[in-house]
Amino acid sequence: MSKKNVADALHIFYELNEAFSDAYWETNDINQKDRFFAMKGILQDELDELHKLSLQDHVYPYEPINPSLLQLSDQLRGLLPELNHYVFRPQTSNRFVELIPSACALFES
Protein backbone atom coordinates (compact mmCIF):
# COMPACT_ATOMS: atom_id res chain seq x y z
CA MET A 1 0.00 0.00 0.00
CA SER A 2 1.36 3.40 -0.92
CA LYS A 3 1.77 6.05 1.74
CA LYS A 4 -0.99 8.65 1.70
CA ASN A 5 -0.06 12.28 1.30
CA VAL A 6 -1.45 15.35 3.04
CA ALA A 7 -4.00 15.94 0.25
CA ASP A 8 -5.34 12.38 0.68
CA ALA A 9 -5.60 12.89 4.44
CA LEU A 10 -7.49 16.16 3.99
CA HIS A 11 -9.97 14.50 1.65
CA ILE A 12 -10.62 11.62 4.07
CA PHE A 13 -10.86 13.96 7.06
CA TYR A 14 -13.31 16.32 5.33
CA GLU A 15 -15.55 13.36 4.47
CA LEU A 16 -15.28 11.91 7.98
CA ASN A 17 -15.99 15.30 9.54
CA GLU A 18 -19.17 15.56 7.47
CA ALA A 19 -20.19 12.02 8.47
CA PHE A 20 -19.72 12.95 12.16
CA SER A 21 -21.99 15.96 11.66
CA ASP A 22 -24.65 13.86 9.96
CA ALA A 23 -24.48 11.17 12.65
CA TYR A 24 -24.72 13.82 15.37
CA TRP A 25 -27.97 15.17 13.94
CA GLU A 26 -29.42 11.77 13.09
CA THR A 27 -29.11 10.10 16.50
CA ASN A 28 -31.60 10.60 19.32
CA ASP A 29 -29.27 9.30 22.04
CA ILE A 30 -27.62 12.15 23.98
CA ASN A 31 -24.63 9.99 24.87
CA GLN A 32 -24.03 9.24 21.20
CA LYS A 33 -24.41 12.91 20.35
CA ASP A 34 -21.66 13.61 22.88
CA ARG A 35 -19.55 10.83 21.41
CA PHE A 36 -19.89 12.09 17.83
CA PHE A 37 -19.28 15.68 18.94
CA ALA A 38 -16.09 14.69 20.79
CA MET A 39 -14.78 12.68 17.83
CA LYS A 40 -15.57 15.56 15.49
CA GLY A 41 -13.67 17.91 17.82
CA ILE A 42 -10.55 15.74 17.76
CA LEU A 43 -10.70 15.52 13.98
CA GLN A 44 -11.28 19.26 13.67
CA ASP A 45 -8.13 19.93 15.71
CA GLU A 46 -6.14 17.89 13.19
CA LEU A 47 -7.79 19.68 10.27
CA ASP A 48 -6.93 23.03 11.84
CA GLU A 49 -3.27 22.02 12.01
CA LEU A 50 -3.30 20.74 8.42
CA HIS A 51 -4.78 24.03 7.22
CA LYS A 52 -1.61 25.76 8.40
CA LEU A 53 0.40 23.92 5.76
CA SER A 54 1.04 25.55 2.42
CA LEU A 55 -0.46 24.12 -0.75
CA GLN A 56 2.96 22.90 -1.84
CA ASP A 57 3.15 20.73 1.30
CA HIS A 58 0.11 18.70 0.25
CA VAL A 59 2.26 16.33 -1.80
CA TYR A 60 4.31 15.21 1.22
CA PRO A 61 3.47 12.00 3.07
CA TYR A 62 0.89 12.51 5.80
CA GLU A 63 1.94 12.15 9.41
CA PRO A 64 -0.52 12.77 12.26
CA ILE A 65 0.10 16.08 14.00
CA ASN A 66 -2.30 15.86 16.93
CA PRO A 67 -1.42 13.08 19.44
CA SER A 68 -5.09 12.60 20.34
CA LEU A 69 -5.66 11.06 16.91
CA LEU A 70 -4.65 7.72 18.42
CA GLN A 71 -7.67 8.04 20.72
CA LEU A 72 -9.85 8.80 17.73
CA SER A 73 -8.55 5.72 15.96
CA ASP A 74 -9.50 3.56 18.94
CA GLN A 75 -12.93 5.19 19.15
CA LEU A 76 -13.55 4.67 15.44
CA ARG A 77 -12.59 1.01 15.69
CA GLY A 78 -15.04 0.64 18.58
CA LEU A 79 -17.78 2.43 16.67
CA LEU A 80 -17.60 0.23 13.58
CA PRO A 81 -19.11 -2.98 15.09
CA GLU A 82 -21.94 -1.09 16.80
CA LEU A 83 -22.58 1.37 14.01
CA ASN A 84 -26.08 0.08 13.22
CA HIS A 85 -27.19 0.72 16.82
CA TYR A 86 -26.55 4.47 16.57
CA VAL A 87 -26.49 5.44 12.91
CA PHE A 88 -29.81 4.66 11.27
CA ARG A 89 -29.59 6.39 7.92
CA PRO A 90 -28.06 3.99 5.38
CA GLN A 91 -26.17 6.73 3.55
CA THR A 92 -24.40 7.85 6.73
CA SER A 93 -23.72 4.29 7.85
CA ASN A 94 -22.23 3.38 4.47
CA ARG A 95 -19.99 6.45 4.55
CA PHE A 96 -18.66 5.44 7.97
CA VAL A 97 -18.04 1.87 6.81
CA GLU A 98 -16.03 3.23 3.89
CA LEU A 99 -14.18 6.00 5.75
CA ILE A 100 -13.29 4.42 9.10
CA PRO A 101 -10.70 1.95 7.74
CA SER A 102 -9.14 4.67 5.55
CA ALA A 103 -8.94 7.10 8.47
CA CYS A 104 -7.50 4.49 10.86
CA ALA A 105 -4.85 3.59 8.28
CA LEU A 106 -3.86 7.27 8.11
CA PHE A 107 -3.55 7.56 11.90
CA GLU A 108 -1.23 4.61 12.09
CA SER A 109 0.95 5.30 9.07
Side-chain angles (χ1 to χ4, degrees), residues 29-52:
D29 184 322
I30 190 68
N31 294 321
Q32 289 308 310
K33 282 191 181 289
D34 287 345
R35 182 182 192 186
F36 290 129
F37 185 81
M39 289 191 288
K40 183 175 170 54
I42 292 170
L43 187 62
Q44 188 60 54
D45 289 345
E46 183 73 1
L47 282 169
D48 290 345
E49 291 299 320
L50 291 173
H51 287 140
K52 295 175 185 176

Short mmCIF file of all heavy atoms in Angstrom, two decimals, residues 29-52:
data_model
loop_
_atom_site.label_atom_id
_atom_site.label_comp_id
_atom_site.label_asym_id
_atom_site.label_seq_id
_atom_site.Cartn_x
_atom_site.Cartn_y
_atom_site.Cartn_z
N ASP A 29 -29.91 9.65 20.78
CA ASP A 29 -29.27 9.30 22.04
C ASP A 29 -28.27 10.40 22.42
O ASP A 29 -27.31 10.65 21.69
CB ASP A 29 -28.57 7.95 21.88
CG ASP A 29 -27.94 7.44 23.15
OD1 ASP A 29 -27.39 8.25 23.91
OD2 ASP A 29 -27.99 6.22 23.37
N ILE A 30 -28.48 11.04 23.57
CA ILE A 30 -27.62 12.15 23.98
C ILE A 30 -26.18 11.70 24.18
O ILE A 30 -25.24 12.44 23.88
CB ILE A 30 -28.18 12.86 25.23
CG1 ILE A 30 -27.42 14.18 25.50
CG2 ILE A 30 -28.12 11.96 26.44
CD1 ILE A 30 -27.65 15.23 24.48
N ASN A 31 -25.98 10.49 24.67
CA ASN A 31 -24.63 9.99 24.87
C ASN A 31 -23.91 9.81 23.54
O ASN A 31 -22.70 10.08 23.43
CB ASN A 31 -24.63 8.67 25.64
CG ASN A 31 -25.12 8.87 27.06
OD1 ASN A 31 -24.79 9.86 27.70
ND2 ASN A 31 -25.92 7.93 27.55
N GLN A 32 -24.63 9.38 22.52
CA GLN A 32 -24.03 9.24 21.20
C GLN A 32 -23.77 10.60 20.57
O GLN A 32 -22.79 10.78 19.86
CB GLN A 32 -24.90 8.36 20.29
CG GLN A 32 -24.89 6.91 20.70
CD GLN A 32 -23.48 6.37 20.84
OE1 GLN A 32 -22.65 6.53 19.96
NE2 GLN A 32 -23.22 5.72 21.95
N LYS A 33 -24.67 11.55 20.83
CA LYS A 33 -24.41 12.91 20.35
C LYS A 33 -23.09 13.42 20.93
O LYS A 33 -22.27 13.98 20.22
CB LYS A 33 -25.55 13.85 20.73
CG LYS A 33 -26.78 13.71 19.84
CD LYS A 33 -27.74 14.84 20.11
CE LYS A 33 -28.98 14.73 19.27
NZ LYS A 33 -28.77 15.00 17.85
N ASP A 34 -22.91 13.21 22.24
CA ASP A 34 -21.66 13.61 22.88
C ASP A 34 -20.46 12.90 22.27
O ASP A 34 -19.41 13.51 22.05
CB ASP A 34 -21.70 13.32 24.39
CG ASP A 34 -22.61 14.26 25.16
OD1 ASP A 34 -23.00 15.31 24.60
OD2 ASP A 34 -22.95 13.94 26.31
N ARG A 35 -20.62 11.63 22.00
CA ARG A 35 -19.55 10.83 21.41
C ARG A 35 -19.16 11.36 20.03
O ARG A 35 -17.98 11.57 19.74
CB ARG A 35 -20.00 9.38 21.31
CG ARG A 35 -18.98 8.42 20.78
CD ARG A 35 -19.59 7.05 20.70
NE ARG A 35 -18.60 6.02 20.45
CZ ARG A 35 -18.91 4.75 20.23
NH1 ARG A 35 -20.16 4.35 20.25
NH2 ARG A 35 -17.95 3.88 19.99
N PHE A 36 -20.16 11.59 19.18
CA PHE A 36 -19.89 12.09 17.83
C PHE A 36 -19.29 13.51 17.88
O PHE A 36 -18.39 13.84 17.11
CB PHE A 36 -21.14 12.07 16.95
CG PHE A 36 -21.59 10.69 16.58
CD1 PHE A 36 -22.89 10.30 16.77
CD2 PHE A 36 -20.70 9.78 16.03
CE1 PHE A 36 -23.31 9.02 16.43
CE2 PHE A 36 -21.10 8.51 15.67
CZ PHE A 36 -22.42 8.13 15.89
N PHE A 37 -19.79 14.32 18.80
CA PHE A 37 -19.28 15.68 18.94
C PHE A 37 -17.81 15.67 19.37
O PHE A 37 -16.98 16.42 18.85
CB PHE A 37 -20.13 16.46 19.94
CG PHE A 37 -19.75 17.91 20.04
CD1 PHE A 37 -20.21 18.82 19.11
CD2 PHE A 37 -18.93 18.36 21.07
CE1 PHE A 37 -19.86 20.16 19.20
CE2 PHE A 37 -18.58 19.69 21.16
CZ PHE A 37 -19.04 20.60 20.22
N ALA A 38 -17.48 14.79 20.32
CA ALA A 38 -16.09 14.69 20.79
C ALA A 38 -15.17 14.20 19.68
O ALA A 38 -14.06 14.73 19.51
CB ALA A 38 -16.02 13.77 22.01
N MET A 39 -15.60 13.20 18.93
CA MET A 39 -14.78 12.68 17.83
C MET A 39 -14.59 13.75 16.76
O MET A 39 -13.50 13.91 16.21
CB MET A 39 -15.39 11.41 17.25
CG MET A 39 -15.27 10.22 18.19
SD MET A 39 -15.67 8.62 17.45
CE MET A 39 -17.43 8.74 17.26
N LYS A 40 -15.65 14.48 16.48
CA LYS A 40 -15.57 15.56 15.49
C LYS A 40 -14.59 16.63 15.97
O LYS A 40 -13.82 17.16 15.17
CB LYS A 40 -16.96 16.15 15.26
CG LYS A 40 -17.02 17.23 14.21
CD LYS A 40 -18.46 17.65 14.00
CE LYS A 40 -18.62 18.88 13.15
NZ LYS A 40 -17.99 18.85 11.86
N GLY A 41 -14.58 16.92 17.26
CA GLY A 41 -13.67 17.91 17.82
C GLY A 41 -12.21 17.51 17.65
O GLY A 41 -11.36 18.33 17.30
N ILE A 42 -11.91 16.24 17.92
CA ILE A 42 -10.55 15.74 17.76
C ILE A 42 -10.12 15.86 16.29
O ILE A 42 -9.02 16.32 15.98
CB ILE A 42 -10.43 14.29 18.24
CG1 ILE A 42 -10.62 14.21 19.75
CG2 ILE A 42 -9.10 13.68 17.83
CD1 ILE A 42 -10.77 12.79 20.28
N LEU A 43 -11.01 15.46 15.41
CA LEU A 43 -10.70 15.52 13.98
C LEU A 43 -10.54 16.97 13.53
O LEU A 43 -9.65 17.28 12.73
CB LEU A 43 -11.80 14.83 13.18
CG LEU A 43 -11.54 14.68 11.70
CD1 LEU A 43 -10.30 13.83 11.44
CD2 LEU A 43 -12.74 14.05 11.02
N GLN A 44 -11.37 17.85 14.05
CA GLN A 44 -11.28 19.26 13.67
C GLN A 44 -9.95 19.87 14.11
O GLN A 44 -9.37 20.68 13.39
CB GLN A 44 -12.44 20.06 14.26
CG GLN A 44 -12.52 21.48 13.76
CD GLN A 44 -12.70 21.55 12.25
OE1 GLN A 44 -13.61 20.95 11.69
NE2 GLN A 44 -11.84 22.30 11.58
N ASP A 45 -9.44 19.45 15.26
CA ASP A 45 -8.13 19.93 15.71
C ASP A 45 -7.04 19.56 14.71
O ASP A 45 -6.15 20.36 14.41
CB ASP A 45 -7.78 19.36 17.09
CG ASP A 45 -8.62 19.97 18.20
OD1 ASP A 45 -9.26 21.01 17.98
OD2 ASP A 45 -8.63 19.37 19.30
N GLU A 46 -7.12 18.33 14.19
CA GLU A 46 -6.14 17.89 13.19
C GLU A 46 -6.30 18.69 11.89
O GLU A 46 -5.32 19.12 11.28
CB GLU A 46 -6.28 16.40 12.92
CG GLU A 46 -5.27 15.85 11.95
CD GLU A 46 -3.85 15.72 12.50
OE1 GLU A 46 -3.62 16.04 13.68
OE2 GLU A 46 -2.98 15.30 11.74
N LEU A 47 -7.54 18.89 11.48
CA LEU A 47 -7.79 19.68 10.27
C LEU A 47 -7.26 21.10 10.42
O LEU A 47 -6.68 21.66 9.49
CB LEU A 47 -9.28 19.70 9.94
CG LEU A 47 -9.83 18.46 9.26
CD1 LEU A 47 -11.35 18.49 9.23
CD2 LEU A 47 -9.28 18.33 7.86
N ASP A 48 -7.44 21.68 11.61
CA ASP A 48 -6.93 23.03 11.84
C ASP A 48 -5.42 23.09 11.67
O ASP A 48 -4.88 24.05 11.10
CB ASP A 48 -7.31 23.52 13.24
CG ASP A 48 -8.80 23.78 13.39
OD1 ASP A 48 -9.51 23.86 12.36
OD2 ASP A 48 -9.26 23.90 14.55
N GLU A 49 -4.73 22.07 12.15
CA GLU A 49 -3.27 22.02 12.01
C GLU A 49 -2.88 21.83 10.53
O GLU A 49 -1.93 22.45 10.06
CB GLU A 49 -2.67 20.90 12.85
CG GLU A 49 -2.75 21.15 14.35
CD GLU A 49 -1.99 22.40 14.78
OE1 GLU A 49 -0.89 22.66 14.25
OE2 GLU A 49 -2.52 23.13 15.64
N LEU A 50 -3.61 20.98 9.83
CA LEU A 50 -3.30 20.74 8.42
C LEU A 50 -3.54 21.97 7.56
O LEU A 50 -2.87 22.18 6.55
CB LEU A 50 -4.10 19.55 7.89
CG LEU A 50 -3.69 18.19 8.44
CD1 LEU A 50 -4.67 17.11 7.98
CD2 LEU A 50 -2.27 17.84 8.03
N HIS A 51 -4.50 22.81 7.97
CA HIS A 51 -4.78 24.03 7.22
C HIS A 51 -3.64 25.03 7.31
O HIS A 51 -3.55 25.95 6.49
CB HIS A 51 -6.07 24.68 7.70
CG HIS A 51 -7.28 23.93 7.29
ND1 HIS A 51 -8.36 23.75 8.11
CD2 HIS A 51 -7.59 23.28 6.14
CE1 HIS A 51 -9.28 23.04 7.48
NE2 HIS A 51 -8.83 22.74 6.29
N LYS A 52 -2.75 24.86 8.27
CA LYS A 52 -1.61 25.76 8.40
C LYS A 52 -0.51 25.46 7.38
O LYS A 52 0.38 26.27 7.17
CB LYS A 52 -1.02 25.65 9.82
CG LYS A 52 -1.97 26.12 10.90
CD LYS A 52 -1.39 25.89 12.27
CE LYS A 52 -2.38 26.26 13.36
NZ LYS A 52 -1.83 25.94 14.70
#
